Structure formats: C-alpha cells, structure tokens
Amino acid sequence: DIVSWENIPEETLISKGGLFLAATEDEVWKQQISKDQRAVLFKYFPEIVSQLSWTGSVKLDLRNSYGVRHARSVVHIANKNEDVGSITCEFVHNEADAAVAVLRDGLMKNTTLQTVSIQRSGLTANGVKDIALLLRGNSKLGVMWLLANDFGDAGAIILADALSEGSDANTTMHRMLLGLNNVSNECRDKCIQKTNGRMIFIPDEHLQHLQSLVDQS
C-alpha cells in the first residue's frame, strides 16, 4: 500500500516508522515527509534515516531526544550528502559532551558543511574543548550557533582562543552566535575583542523573550 505521510499521527510514526521508511523511496522522502516528521523519525530510527538523501538545511531539534547514537548518524548525513550545508541538532544534556566528541572526529575533514548549530544541549566547558578542536581542524565552517549551553566563561574563552590563538587558529569562521551561556559581561567583551567581533553575543533577555513566545505558541 502507498503510505500517505501527511495523515500519519506521531504515535504511528513511532511504532511503524521503520517499516514505512524501508519502503520509502528518496523522492518521497524529499518531497512528502515534513521536517517535523523527519525529526521524530530521526529520534527513533537514526540509522535508517541517515541512509536516505538529505539536502540544504537539516533541522533535528526535537527537545530532549538525541544522544551519542544520533551524533554518529548526523556525521553520516553530513559526509554522505554534499548538498547539506547546514545542520541543527539538540542533544540531551547528559550525552551532549560525548555527542560533540563524535561530531569533532566525524566532521574534521568535511568540506561542504557551512553551518553547525548545537543549541539547548547543556554543553559544558569540557564539551566545548571538542568544538574548539573541530574549529582548529576544519576551516570550511563559516557559522556556528551555540545558544543556551551553560559552558560559562571557561567555555567562552576556549572558543575565543580557537578562533584567535596559535598557528592552527580558525581564521575563516565568519561568526559564532552565543547567548544564554552563563558568560559574564567582562568575559563577553574580552571574547569579542579577541575575535574581532566574530563572536556575537545575543542579549539573554532577547532570547528569553523569544523562547517565551515559542512556548506560548
């Protein structure tokens, strides 16, 4: 039978999505399955989903859903699909640092990904060290979003150093956007100066207001 994806409730996606995906051709995947459905399917069937074709901007932002297992599939999607220019992903807090280590290893030699967004994932300064290593090893990334990760001043300085210090500093990233990272005003100003304004700190109150609007919608 032909699957009518637009009429499938989420509970059916969860229980039977693997079977549906096994019978789904790439064109159907590209044209008939919504981004929200993809995010749900990726949570429960990451290995199957990562084998399908992806293009453009990949948004995997289902809250409290993705871990190390999913990070491996994110790497596969990015490296298998040259038309993927942007990936957004949110990780569960207790796996975020380990997931970023997987991204570090897997994306180091990627030459097509331009934007990486890891938001609301509870990244610590420890996890940020792996992001810094990725920045030092990959000069193709142009934009990074790290909103709402509680890595504090220590993490912010690690990122600033990766963009400015040493012979392997990343001098090609255009901008790194931060906010709600528990960074002090003094540290923020220092990071902006060290990176010639490439680290951009969005005021926390603006982000909190936007989040409240999203929560009410």
Side-chain angles (χ1 to χ4, degrees), residues 16-52:
K16 298 182 178 179
L19 293 174
F20 293 159
L21 287 170
T24 297
E25 297 180 354
D26 264 353
E27 286 306 309
V28 173
W29 169 256
K30 291 177 184 176
Q31 298 177 15
Q32 297 185 25
I33 302 177
S34 70
K35 287 186 177 182
D36 288 345
Q37 288 177 319
R38 292 184 184 196
V40 172
L41 291 166
F42 185 73
K43 176 180 179 178
Y44 293 97
F45 313 101
E47 292 83 7
I48 298 175
V49 167
S50 66
Q51 297 299 322
L52 295 164

PDB file of all heavy atoms in Angstrom, residues 16-52:
ATOM      1  N   LYS A  16       5.584   2.359  13.792  1.00  0.00           N
ATOM      2  CA  LYS A  16       5.721   1.700  12.490  1.00  0.00           C
ATOM      3  C   LYS A  16       6.625   2.453  11.511  1.00  0.00           C
ATOM      4  O   LYS A  16       6.745   2.054  10.354  1.00  0.00           O
ATOM      5  CB  LYS A  16       4.343   1.513  11.849  1.00  0.00           C
ATOM      6  CG  LYS A  16       3.403   0.625  12.654  1.00  0.00           C
ATOM      7  CD  LYS A  16       2.082   0.432  11.939  1.00  0.00           C
ATOM      8  CE  LYS A  16       1.166  -0.499  12.721  1.00  0.00           C
ATOM      9  NZ  LYS A  16      -0.146  -0.690  12.049  1.00  0.00           N
ATOM     10  N   GLY A  17       7.253   3.514  11.977  1.00  0.00           N
ATOM     11  CA  GLY A  17       8.072   4.327  11.086  1.00  0.00           C
ATOM     12  C   GLY A  17       9.173   3.569  10.388  1.00  0.00           C
ATOM     13  O   GLY A  17       9.480   3.816   9.223  1.00  0.00           O
ATOM     14  N   GLY A  18       9.792   2.618  11.087  1.00  0.00           N
ATOM     15  CA  GLY A  18      10.862   1.832  10.480  1.00  0.00           C
ATOM     16  C   GLY A  18      10.379   1.037   9.278  1.00  0.00           C
ATOM     17  O   GLY A  18      11.066   0.969   8.254  1.00  0.00           O
ATOM     18  N   LEU A  19       9.197   0.463   9.404  1.00  0.00           N
ATOM     19  CA  LEU A  19       8.615  -0.298   8.289  1.00  0.00           C
ATOM     20  C   LEU A  19       8.284   0.629   7.125  1.00  0.00           C
ATOM     21  O   LEU A  19       8.541   0.308   5.962  1.00  0.00           O
ATOM     22  CB  LEU A  19       7.355  -1.033   8.758  1.00  0.00           C
ATOM     23  CG  LEU A  19       7.550  -2.163   9.779  1.00  0.00           C
ATOM     24  CD1 LEU A  19       6.202  -2.676  10.246  1.00  0.00           C
ATOM     25  CD2 LEU A  19       8.371  -3.288   9.155  1.00  0.00           C
ATOM     26  N   PHE A  20       7.710   1.785   7.447  1.00  0.00           N
ATOM     27  CA  PHE A  20       7.371   2.737   6.395  1.00  0.00           C
ATOM     28  C   PHE A  20       8.620   3.228   5.665  1.00  0.00           C
ATOM     29  O   PHE A  20       8.648   3.337   4.439  1.00  0.00           O
ATOM     30  CB  PHE A  20       6.622   3.938   6.986  1.00  0.00           C
ATOM     31  CG  PHE A  20       5.253   3.613   7.531  1.00  0.00           C
ATOM     32  CD1 PHE A  20       4.651   4.455   8.458  1.00  0.00           C
ATOM     33  CD2 PHE A  20       4.566   2.487   7.114  1.00  0.00           C
ATOM     34  CE1 PHE A  20       3.383   4.176   8.949  1.00  0.00           C
ATOM     35  CE2 PHE A  20       3.305   2.197   7.607  1.00  0.00           C
ATOM     36  CZ  PHE A  20       2.717   3.031   8.528  1.00  0.00           C
ATOM     37  N   LEU A  21       9.669   3.517   6.422  1.00  0.00           N
ATOM     38  CA  LEU A  21      10.902   4.024   5.817  1.00  0.00           C
ATOM     39  C   LEU A  21      11.550   3.001   4.905  1.00  0.00           C
ATOM     40  O   LEU A  21      12.136   3.348   3.878  1.00  0.00           O
ATOM     41  CB  LEU A  21      11.891   4.438   6.914  1.00  0.00           C
ATOM     42  CG  LEU A  21      11.559   5.724   7.662  1.00  0.00           C
ATOM     43  CD1 LEU A  21      12.469   5.881   8.870  1.00  0.00           C
ATOM     44  CD2 LEU A  21      11.692   6.932   6.735  1.00  0.00           C
ATOM     45  N   ALA A  22      11.436   1.728   5.276  1.00  0.00           N
ATOM     46  CA  ALA A  22      12.046   0.665   4.457  1.00  0.00           C
ATOM     47  C   ALA A  22      11.434   0.615   3.066  1.00  0.00           C
ATOM     48  O   ALA A  22      12.080   0.186   2.109  1.00  0.00           O
ATOM     49  CB  ALA A  22      11.888  -0.680   5.159  1.00  0.00           C
ATOM     50  N   ALA A  23      10.197   1.081   2.955  1.00  0.00           N
ATOM     51  CA  ALA A  23       9.508   1.042   1.659  1.00  0.00           C
ATOM     52  C   ALA A  23       9.433   2.426   1.012  1.00  0.00           C
ATOM     53  O   ALA A  23       8.702   2.622   0.043  1.00  0.00           O
ATOM     54  CB  ALA A  23       8.102   0.489   1.850  1.00  0.00           C
ATOM     55  N   THR A  24      10.188   3.372   1.554  1.00  0.00           N
ATOM     56  CA  THR A  24      10.108   4.754   1.071  1.00  0.00           C
ATOM     57  C   THR A  24      11.257   5.082   0.128  1.00  0.00           C
ATOM     58  O   THR A  24      12.426   4.864   0.460  1.00  0.00           O
ATOM     59  CB  THR A  24      10.138   5.741   2.262  1.00  0.00           C
ATOM     60  OG1 THR A  24       8.984   5.506   3.080  1.00  0.00           O
ATOM     61  CG2 THR A  24      10.119   7.183   1.783  1.00  0.00           C
ATOM     62  N   GLU A  25      10.934   5.598  -1.034  1.00  0.00           N
ATOM     63  CA  GLU A  25      11.959   5.997  -1.992  1.00  0.00           C
ATOM     64  C   GLU A  25      12.441   7.411  -1.681  1.00  0.00           C
ATOM     65  O   GLU A  25      11.761   8.194  -1.023  1.00  0.00           O
ATOM     66  CB  GLU A  25      11.395   5.941  -3.414  1.00  0.00           C
ATOM     67  CG  GLU A  25      10.981   4.539  -3.850  1.00  0.00           C
ATOM     68  CD  GLU A  25      10.425   4.515  -5.269  1.00  0.00           C
ATOM     69  OE1 GLU A  25      10.255   5.606  -5.848  1.00  0.00           O
ATOM     70  OE2 GLU A  25      10.157   3.416  -5.774  1.00  0.00           O
ATOM     71  N   ASP A  26      13.625   7.735  -2.197  1.00  0.00           N
ATOM     72  CA  ASP A  26      14.233   9.030  -1.909  1.00  0.00           C
ATOM     73  C   ASP A  26      13.342  10.207  -2.297  1.00  0.00           C
ATOM     74  O   ASP A  26      13.267  11.207  -1.577  1.00  0.00           O
ATOM     75  CB  ASP A  26      15.577   9.158  -2.638  1.00  0.00           C
ATOM     76  CG  ASP A  26      16.745   8.779  -1.727  1.00  0.00           C
ATOM     77  OD1 ASP A  26      16.507   8.564  -0.520  1.00  0.00           O
ATOM     78  OD2 ASP A  26      17.877   8.688  -2.215  1.00  0.00           O
ATOM     79  N   GLU A  27      12.673  10.122  -3.428  1.00  0.00           N
ATOM     80  CA  GLU A  27      11.837  11.233  -3.877  1.00  0.00           C
ATOM     81  C   GLU A  27      10.684  11.493  -2.926  1.00  0.00           C
ATOM     82  O   GLU A  27      10.298  12.636  -2.680  1.00  0.00           O
ATOM     83  CB  GLU A  27      11.322  10.973  -5.300  1.00  0.00           C
ATOM     84  CG  GLU A  27      12.371  11.140  -6.375  1.00  0.00           C
ATOM     85  CD  GLU A  27      13.058  12.505  -6.316  1.00  0.00           C
ATOM     86  OE1 GLU A  27      12.336  13.523  -6.280  1.00  0.00           O
ATOM     87  OE2 GLU A  27      14.296  12.551  -6.273  1.00  0.00           O
ATOM     88  N   VAL A  28      10.119  10.420  -2.391  1.00  0.00           N
ATOM     89  CA  VAL A  28       9.043  10.564  -1.408  1.00  0.00           C
ATOM     90  C   VAL A  28       9.602  11.204  -0.133  1.00  0.00           C
ATOM     91  O   VAL A  28       8.996  12.105   0.453  1.00  0.00           O
ATOM     92  CB  VAL A  28       8.403   9.197  -1.095  1.00  0.00           C
ATOM     93  CG1 VAL A  28       7.398   9.324   0.053  1.00  0.00           C
ATOM     94  CG2 VAL A  28       7.719   8.647  -2.339  1.00  0.00           C
ATOM     95  N   TRP A  29      10.755  10.733   0.282  1.00  0.00           N
ATOM     96  CA  TRP A  29      11.407  11.286   1.469  1.00  0.00           C
ATOM     97  C   TRP A  29      11.646  12.785   1.320  1.00  0.00           C
ATOM     98  O   TRP A  29      11.390  13.563   2.229  1.00  0.00           O
ATOM     99  CB  TRP A  29      12.723  10.549   1.697  1.00  0.00           C
ATOM    100  CG  TRP A  29      13.631  11.161   2.712  1.00  0.00           C
ATOM    101  CD1 TRP A  29      14.762  11.887   2.485  1.00  0.00           C
ATOM    102  CD2 TRP A  29      13.495  11.097   4.138  1.00  0.00           C
ATOM    103  NE1 TRP A  29      15.342  12.286   3.655  1.00  0.00           N
ATOM    104  CE2 TRP A  29      14.586  11.810   4.693  1.00  0.00           C
ATOM    105  CE3 TRP A  29      12.567  10.509   5.000  1.00  0.00           C
ATOM    106  CZ2 TRP A  29      14.761  11.947   6.060  1.00  0.00           C
ATOM    107  CZ3 TRP A  29      12.743  10.650   6.364  1.00  0.00           C
ATOM    108  CH2 TRP A  29      13.824  11.360   6.880  1.00  0.00           C
ATOM    109  N   LYS A  30      12.114  13.192   0.165  1.00  0.00           N
ATOM    110  CA  LYS A  30      12.443  14.599  -0.068  1.00  0.00           C
ATOM    111  C   LYS A  30      11.205  15.480  -0.148  1.00  0.00           C
ATOM    112  O   LYS A  30      11.207  16.613   0.337  1.00  0.00           O
ATOM    113  CB  LYS A  30      13.234  14.744  -1.374  1.00  0.00           C
ATOM    114  CG  LYS A  30      14.631  14.167  -1.341  1.00  0.00           C
ATOM    115  CD  LYS A  30      15.277  14.306  -2.716  1.00  0.00           C
ATOM    116  CE  LYS A  30      16.635  13.658  -2.782  1.00  0.00           C
ATOM    117  NZ  LYS A  30      17.221  13.725  -4.155  1.00  0.00           N
ATOM    118  N   GLN A  31      10.125  14.968  -0.741  1.00  0.00           N
ATOM    119  CA  GLN A  31       9.002  15.825  -1.105  1.00  0.00           C
ATOM    120  C   GLN A  31       7.779  15.709  -0.195  1.00  0.00           C
ATOM    121  O   GLN A  31       6.998  16.649  -0.094  1.00  0.00           O
ATOM    122  CB  GLN A  31       8.586  15.539  -2.548  1.00  0.00           C
ATOM    123  CG  GLN A  31       9.680  15.835  -3.570  1.00  0.00           C
ATOM    124  CD  GLN A  31       9.263  15.461  -4.980  1.00  0.00           C
ATOM    125  OE1 GLN A  31       8.086  15.244  -5.258  1.00  0.00           O
ATOM    126  NE2 GLN A  31      10.229  15.375  -5.882  1.00  0.00           N
ATOM    127  N   GLN A  32       7.598  14.568   0.474  1.00  0.00           N
ATOM    128  CA  GLN A  32       6.338  14.348   1.178  1.00  0.00           C
ATOM    129  C   GLN A  32       6.457  14.268   2.695  1.00  0.00           C
ATOM    130  O   GLN A  32       5.448  14.343   3.399  1.00  0.00           O
ATOM    131  CB  GLN A  32       5.687  13.051   0.663  1.00  0.00           C
ATOM    132  CG  GLN A  32       5.308  13.095  -0.807  1.00  0.00           C
ATOM    133  CD  GLN A  32       4.568  11.848  -1.255  1.00  0.00           C
ATOM    134  OE1 GLN A  32       3.934  11.168  -0.445  1.00  0.00           O
ATOM    135  NE2 GLN A  32       4.653  11.528  -2.534  1.00  0.00           N
ATOM    136  N   ILE A  33       7.658  14.152   3.206  1.00  0.00           N
ATOM    137  CA  ILE A  33       7.829  13.984   4.645  1.00  0.00           C
ATOM    138  C   ILE A  33       8.302  15.313   5.239  1.00  0.00           C
ATOM    139  O   ILE A  33       9.338  15.843   4.844  1.00  0.00           O
ATOM    140  CB  ILE A  33       8.832  12.854   4.948  1.00  0.00           C
ATOM    141  CG1 ILE A  33       8.333  11.545   4.304  1.00  0.00           C
ATOM    142  CG2 ILE A  33       9.003  12.675   6.450  1.00  0.00           C
ATOM    143  CD1 ILE A  33       9.259  10.367   4.472  1.00  0.00           C
ATOM    144  N   SER A  34       7.540  15.841   6.177  1.00  0.00           N
ATOM    145  CA  SER A  34       7.821  17.176   6.715  1.00  0.00           C
ATOM    146  C   SER A  34       9.064  17.162   7.605  1.00  0.00           C
ATOM    147  O   SER A  34       9.518  16.112   8.069  1.00  0.00           O
ATOM    148  CB  SER A  34       6.625  17.675   7.521  1.00  0.00           C
ATOM    149  OG  SER A  34       6.502  16.940   8.730  1.00  0.00           O
ATOM    150  N   LYS A  35       9.579  18.359   7.887  1.00  0.00           N
ATOM    151  CA  LYS A  35      10.737  18.473   8.770  1.00  0.00           C
ATOM    152  C   LYS A  35      10.417  17.967  10.176  1.00  0.00           C
ATOM    153  O   LYS A  35      11.260  17.347  10.828  1.00  0.00           O
ATOM    154  CB  LYS A  35      11.227  19.926   8.819  1.00  0.00           C
ATOM    155  CG  LYS A  35      11.927  20.375   7.552  1.00  0.00           C
ATOM    156  CD  LYS A  35      12.514  21.767   7.701  1.00  0.00           C
ATOM    157  CE  LYS A  35      13.280  22.171   6.442  1.00  0.00           C
ATOM    158  NZ  LYS A  35      13.910  23.509   6.576  1.00  0.00           N
ATOM    159  N   ASP A  36       9.204  18.231  10.644  1.00  0.00           N
ATOM    160  CA  ASP A  36       8.815  17.755  11.974  1.00  0.00           C
ATOM    161  C   ASP A  36       8.770  16.229  12.010  1.00  0.00           C
ATOM    162  O   ASP A  36       9.197  15.604  12.991  1.00  0.00           O
ATOM    163  CB  ASP A  36       7.451  18.324  12.363  1.00  0.00           C
ATOM    164  CG  ASP A  36       7.511  19.809  12.685  1.00  0.00           C
ATOM    165  OD1 ASP A  36       8.627  20.329  12.891  1.00  0.00           O
ATOM    166  OD2 ASP A  36       6.448  20.452  12.696  1.00  0.00           O
ATOM    167  N   GLN A  37       8.250  15.627  10.951  1.00  0.00           N
ATOM    168  CA  GLN A  37       8.213  14.169  10.881  1.00  0.00           C
ATOM    169  C   GLN A  37       9.626  13.594  10.814  1.00  0.00           C
ATOM    170  O   GLN A  37       9.923  12.578  11.448  1.00  0.00           O
ATOM    171  CB  GLN A  37       7.408  13.722   9.658  1.00  0.00           C
ATOM    172  CG  GLN A  37       5.914  13.934   9.788  1.00  0.00           C
ATOM    173  CD  GLN A  37       5.162  13.545   8.525  1.00  0.00           C
ATOM    174  OE1 GLN A  37       5.604  13.812   7.413  1.00  0.00           O
ATOM    175  NE2 GLN A  37       4.016  12.904   8.689  1.00  0.00           N
ATOM    176  N   ARG A  38      10.489  14.246  10.075  1.00  0.00           N
ATOM    177  CA  ARG A  38      11.875  13.774   9.984  1.00  0.00           C
ATOM    178  C   ARG A  38      12.550  13.795  11.347  1.00  0.00           C
ATOM    179  O   ARG A  38      13.312  12.895  11.687  1.00  0.00           O
ATOM    180  CB  ARG A  38      12.665  14.644   9.000  1.00  0.00           C
ATOM    181  CG  ARG A  38      12.231  14.495   7.565  1.00  0.00           C
ATOM    182  CD  ARG A  38      13.124  15.311   6.650  1.00  0.00           C
ATOM    183  NE  ARG A  38      12.661  15.267   5.267  1.00  0.00           N
ATOM    184  CZ  ARG A  38      13.393  15.628   4.236  1.00  0.00           C
ATOM    185  NH1 ARG A  38      14.623  16.072   4.417  1.00  0.00           N
ATOM    186  NH2 ARG A  38      12.920  15.557   3.012  1.00  0.00           N
ATOM    187  N   ALA A  39      12.271  14.849  12.118  1.00  0.00           N
ATOM    188  CA  ALA A  39      12.878  14.961  13.442  1.00  0.00           C
ATOM    189  C   ALA A  39      12.428  13.817  14.346  1.00  0.00           C
ATOM    190  O   ALA A  39      13.230  13.252  15.109  1.00  0.00           O
ATOM    191  CB  ALA A  39      12.527  16.307  14.068  1.00  0.00           C
ATOM    192  N   VAL A  40      11.148  13.457  14.270  1.00  0.00           N
ATOM    193  CA  VAL A  40      10.633  12.334  15.065  1.00  0.00           C
ATOM    194  C   VAL A  40      11.231  11.018  14.582  1.00  0.00           C
ATOM    195  O   VAL A  40      11.694  10.194  15.388  1.00  0.00           O
ATOM    196  CB  VAL A  40       9.093  12.276  14.992  1.00  0.00           C
ATOM    197  CG1 VAL A  40       8.570  11.000  15.658  1.00  0.00           C
ATOM    198  CG2 VAL A  40       8.477  13.499  15.634  1.00  0.00           C
ATOM    199  N   LEU A  41      11.240  10.803  13.288  1.00  0.00           N
ATOM    200  CA  LEU A  41      11.802   9.571  12.727  1.00  0.00           C
ATOM    201  C   LEU A  41      13.280   9.435  13.059  1.00  0.00           C
ATOM    202  O   LEU A  41      13.770   8.333  13.337  1.00  0.00           O
ATOM    203  CB  LEU A  41      11.595   9.548  11.209  1.00  0.00           C
ATOM    204  CG  LEU A  41      10.154   9.376  10.745  1.00  0.00           C
ATOM    205  CD1 LEU A  41      10.021   9.708   9.255  1.00  0.00           C
ATOM    206  CD2 LEU A  41       9.670   7.957  11.009  1.00  0.00           C
ATOM    207  N   PHE A  42      13.988  10.565  13.068  1.00  0.00           N
ATOM    208  CA  PHE A  42      15.412  10.520  13.383  1.00  0.00           C
ATOM    209  C   PHE A  42      15.636  10.104  14.838  1.00  0.00           C
ATOM    210  O   PHE A  42      16.614   9.427  15.160  1.00  0.00           O
ATOM    211  CB  PHE A  42      16.047  11.887  13.124  1.00  0.00           C
ATOM    212  CG  PHE A  42      17.537  11.893  13.315  1.00  0.00           C
ATOM    213  CD1 PHE A  42      18.379  11.292  12.399  1.00  0.00           C
ATOM    214  CD2 PHE A  42      18.097  12.526  14.421  1.00  0.00           C
ATOM    215  CE1 PHE A  42      19.763  11.288  12.581  1.00  0.00           C
ATOM    216  CE2 PHE A  42      19.469  12.535  14.599  1.00  0.00           C
ATOM    217  CZ  PHE A  42      20.305  11.920  13.684  1.00  0.00           C
ATOM    218  N   LYS A  43      14.720  10.484  15.716  1.00  0.00           N
ATOM    219  CA  LYS A  43      14.852  10.099  17.118  1.00  0.00           C
ATOM    220  C   LYS A  43      14.793   8.579  17.279  1.00  0.00           C
ATOM    221  O   LYS A  43      15.604   7.995  18.015  1.00  0.00           O
ATOM    222  CB  LYS A  43      13.742  10.748  17.950  1.00  0.00           C
ATOM    223  CG  LYS A  43      13.745  10.307  19.416  1.00  0.00           C
ATOM    224  CD  LYS A  43      12.635  10.973  20.209  1.00  0.00           C
ATOM    225  CE  LYS A  43      12.667  10.483  21.656  1.00  0.00           C
ATOM    226  NZ  LYS A  43      11.617  11.154  22.490  1.00  0.00           N
ATOM    227  N   TYR A  44      13.867   7.945  16.590  1.00  0.00           N
ATOM    228  CA  TYR A  44      13.631   6.518  16.812  1.00  0.00           C
ATOM    229  C   TYR A  44      14.356   5.604  15.817  1.00  0.00           C
ATOM    230  O   TYR A  44      14.619   4.443  16.137  1.00  0.00           O
ATOM    231  CB  TYR A  44      12.120   6.238  16.774  1.00  0.00           C
ATOM    232  CG  TYR A  44      11.395   6.871  17.919  1.00  0.00           C
ATOM    233  CD1 TYR A  44      10.761   8.095  17.774  1.00  0.00           C
ATOM    234  CD2 TYR A  44      11.370   6.270  19.173  1.00  0.00           C
ATOM    235  CE1 TYR A  44      10.107   8.701  18.848  1.00  0.00           C
ATOM    236  CE2 TYR A  44      10.725   6.867  20.241  1.00  0.00           C
ATOM    237  CZ  TYR A  44      10.099   8.076  20.079  1.00  0.00           C
ATOM    238  OH  TYR A  44       9.470   8.677  21.132  1.00  0.00           O
ATOM    239  N   PHE A  45      14.687   6.121  14.646  1.00  0.00           N
ATOM    240  CA  PHE A  45      15.311   5.290  13.615  1.00  0.00           C
ATOM    241  C   PHE A  45      16.499   6.009  12.954  1.00  0.00           C
ATOM    242  O   PHE A  45      16.534   6.167  11.731  1.00  0.00           O
ATOM    243  CB  PHE A  45      14.277   4.915  12.543  1.00  0.00           C
ATOM    244  CG  PHE A  45      12.970   4.428  13.099  1.00  0.00           C
ATOM    245  CD1 PHE A  45      11.862   5.281  13.144  1.00  0.00           C
ATOM    246  CD2 PHE A  45      12.829   3.145  13.600  1.00  0.00           C
ATOM    247  CE1 PHE A  45      10.651   4.852  13.661  1.00  0.00           C
ATOM    248  CE2 PHE A  45      11.617   2.701  14.120  1.00  0.00           C
ATOM    249  CZ  PHE A  45      10.520   3.555  14.153  1.00  0.00           C
ATOM    250  N   PRO A  46      17.465   6.470  13.734  1.00  0.00           N
ATOM    251  CA  PRO A  46      18.533   7.300  13.157  1.00  0.00           C
ATOM    252  C   PRO A  46      19.365   6.597  12.094  1.00  0.00           C
ATOM    253  O   PRO A  46      19.765   7.214  11.097  1.00  0.00           O
ATOM    254  CB  PRO A  46      19.382   7.676  14.376  1.00  0.00           C
ATOM    255  CG  PRO A  46      19.090   6.628  15.392  1.00  0.00           C
ATOM    256  CD  PRO A  46      17.650   6.274  15.181  1.00  0.00           C
ATOM    257  N   GLU A  47      19.630   5.309  12.284  1.00  0.00           N
ATOM    258  CA  GLU A  47      20.464   4.598  11.308  1.00  0.00           C
ATOM    259  C   GLU A  47      19.764   4.470   9.965  1.00  0.00           C
ATOM    260  O   GLU A  47      20.392   4.612   8.904  1.00  0.00           O
ATOM    261  CB  GLU A  47      20.850   3.206  11.838  1.00  0.00           C
ATOM    262  CG  GLU A  47      21.784   3.235  13.032  1.00  0.00           C
ATOM    263  CD  GLU A  47      21.063   3.450  14.363  1.00  0.00           C
ATOM    264  OE1 GLU A  47      19.811   3.436  14.375  1.00  0.00           O
ATOM    265  OE2 GLU A  47      21.746   3.645  15.382  1.00  0.00           O
ATOM    266  N   ILE A  48      18.463   4.228   9.982  1.00  0.00           N
ATOM    267  CA  ILE A  48      17.704   4.119   8.724  1.00  0.00           C
ATOM    268  C   ILE A  48      17.593   5.489   8.062  1.00  0.00           C
ATOM    269  O   ILE A  48      17.843   5.641   6.864  1.00  0.00           O
ATOM    270  CB  ILE A  48      16.290   3.544   8.981  1.00  0.00           C
ATOM    271  CG1 ILE A  48      16.378   2.134   9.565  1.00  0.00           C
ATOM    272  CG2 ILE A  48      15.478   3.530   7.689  1.00  0.00           C
ATOM    273  CD1 ILE A  48      15.028   1.555   9.962  1.00  0.00           C
ATOM    274  N   VAL A  49      17.237   6.489   8.846  1.00  0.00           N
ATOM    275  CA  VAL A  49      17.035   7.839   8.313  1.00  0.00           C
ATOM    276  C   VAL A  49      18.314   8.401   7.705  1.00  0.00           C
ATOM    277  O   VAL A  49      18.292   9.094   6.681  1.00  0.00           O
ATOM    278  CB  VAL A  49      16.505   8.767   9.427  1.00  0.00           C
ATOM    279  CG1 VAL A  49      16.592  10.221   9.014  1.00  0.00           C
ATOM    280  CG2 VAL A  49      15.063   8.411   9.781  1.00  0.00           C
ATOM    281  N   SER A  50      19.454   8.096   8.300  1.00  0.00           N
ATOM    282  CA  SER A  50      20.715   8.653   7.807  1.00  0.00           C
ATOM    283  C   SER A  50      21.134   8.066   6.467  1.00  0.00           C
ATOM    284  O   SER A  50      22.009   8.612   5.793  1.00  0.00           O
ATOM    285  CB  SER A  50      21.832   8.431   8.834  1.00  0.00           C
ATOM    286  OG  SER A  50      22.124   7.056   8.989  1.00  0.00           O
ATOM    287  N   GLN A  51      20.505   6.973   6.067  1.00  0.00           N
ATOM    288  CA  GLN A  51      20.816   6.373   4.766  1.00  0.00           C
ATOM    289  C   GLN A  51      20.054   7.044   3.623  1.00  0.00           C
ATOM    290  O   GLN A  51      20.404   6.864   2.456  1.00  0.00           O
ATOM    291  CB  GLN A  51      20.479   4.876   4.780  1.00  0.00           C
ATOM    292  CG  GLN A  51      21.291   4.053   5.774  1.00  0.00           C
ATOM    293  CD  GLN A  51      22.773   4.088   5.492  1.00  0.00           C
ATOM    294  OE1 GLN A  51      23.207   4.086   4.338  1.00  0.00           O
ATOM    295  NE2 GLN A  51      23.579   4.145   6.547  1.00  0.00           N
ATOM    296  N   LEU A  52      19.040   7.814   3.946  1.00  0.00           N
ATOM    297  CA  LEU A  52      18.246   8.498   2.932  1.00  0.00           C
ATOM    298  C   LEU A  52      18.933   9.796   2.514  1.00  0.00           C
ATOM    299  O   LEU A  52      19.865  10.261   3.160  1.00  0.00           O
ATOM    300  CB  LEU A  52      16.851   8.773   3.465  1.00  0.00           C
ATOM    301  CG  LEU A  52      16.023   7.508   3.760  1.00  0.00           C
ATOM    302  CD1 LEU A  52      14.831   7.825   4.640  1.00  0.00           C
ATOM    303  CD2 LEU A  52      15.568   6.851   2.465  1.00  0.00           C
TER     304      LEU A  52
END
